[in-house]
Amino acid sequence: MIWTLFKMGCLALYGLGLAGWAGWLPPTWALAFGRIAVALLLIHALELLFVMRHVRRYPGPLAASIGLTLLFGLLHWKPLADAKS
């Protein structure tokens, strides 16, 4: 349940970043949410390098697991790592 709420928060941040990029937000908000969204994606990309072994445990395609890790990071791979133990 808590993972779902955090995932919704990630999606909201990405949505606000896209809305800012599209010009639907005031300039100061657009800049702030755009930077947050890009920073989150970069952090998750770096995180992916270190947790690839857990990402591979996803029962679906590896590309889907990589995409989910880029979107959600810890929120995607941590339950996979916990399922191992």
Side-chain angles (χ1 to χ4, degrees):
M1 171 74 175
I2 192 74
W3 296 113
T4 304
L5 292 175
F6 285 134
K7 285 181 180 182
M8 289 171 50
C10 281
L11 291 176
L13 283 173
Y14 294 135
L16 287 167
L18 286 173
W21 180 71
W24 298 339
L25 295 176
T28 54
W29 287 25
L31 183 62
F33 284 118
R35 286 182 177 173
I36 291 170
V38 168
L40 203 54
L41 282 172
L42 289 174
I43 289 168
H44 290 164
L46 288 172
E47 180 180 18
L48 181 62
L49 298 173
F50 296 102
V51 297
M52 195 62 177
R53 64 176 184 205
H54 300 302
V55 171
R56 291 183 192 277
R57 295 181 52 81
Y58 184 67
L62 180 60
S65 188
I66 289 172
L68 289 169
T69 302
L70 288 175
L71 284 176
F72 304 119
L74 172 78
L75 302 173
H76 172 67
W77 66 261
K78 182 65 171 150
L80 298 173
D82 288 346
K84 179 182 179 185
S85 54

